[in-house]
Amino acid sequence: MSLVISSITINTGQLQNMLEFYSRVGFKFQMVRVDKGSEVYRAVHDGVEFSLYSLPTAQKAQVPSLQLGFQITELENTVADLAKVPGSLLILDPTEMPDGKKAIILDPDGHSIELCQK
């Protein structure tokens, strides 16, 4: 099986401070419009998309603070294996999307993991 980190997303109630912090690390952010109404800033480094989403404090308890994205070769088998891990929760079954087949699962700590098979 092949594994490539494709994205890291942080949902934050402190967007300006996070932008300043990660800009000083070296990321070059650009604002991106999204349908959900949040402010989103994205940077790409070595092919990995790093995003900061503005998240109102009232929503923080409902939305995972971190989302990781991985490109893998055996989506269906991997999702089936991950769903067996105690504490994991399948959010999106493997589904065909315009940019590849994807699934979303929460890890045992509640972080959102997007798996994509291209």
Side-chain angles (χ1 to χ4, degrees):
M1 179 176 85
S2 172
L3 169 68
V4 175
I5 296 173
S6 58
S7 66
I8 299 170
T9 300
I10 298 175
N11 296 307
T12 180
Q14 300 185 64
L15 182 61
Q16 292 307 314
N17 291 340
M18 293 288 278
L19 279 168
E20 184 175 344
F21 181 91
Y22 284 102
S23 291
R24 290 181 185 197
V25 169
F27 288 99
K28 308 281 190 253
F29 289 98
Q30 293 185 342
M31 189 170 131
V32 179
R33 299 233 180 253
V34 294
D35 295 337
K36 304 283 185 212
S38 294
E39 277 188 85
V40 179
Y41 287 82
R42 289 196 176 124
V44 177
H45 182 74
D46 287 341
V48 177
E49 183 180 283
F50 182 70
S51 301
L52 297 173
Y53 275 69
S54 175
L55 187 65
T57 306
Q59 288 183 322
K60 261 188 100 58
Q62 303 166 359
V63 179
S65 61
L66 177 70
Q67 176 174 312
L68 300 174
F70 301 106
Q71 289 182 18
I72 60 175
T73 54
E74 298 177 20
L75 182 65
E76 305 260 344
N77 291 338
T78 302
V79 168
D81 281 345
L82 290 172
K84 295 175 187 173
V85 176
S88 66
L89 178 63
L90 186 60
I91 300 297
L92 175 68
D93 286 317
T95 304
E96 201 61 52
M97 303 280 193
D99 56 342
K101 196 171 192 176
K102 292 185 178 185
I104 298 175
I105 191 165
L106 298 182
D107 72 13
D109 269 349
H111 302 116
S112 180
I113 308 300
E114 179 184 74
L115 301 171
C116 182
Q117 179 176 304
K118 294 205 175 199

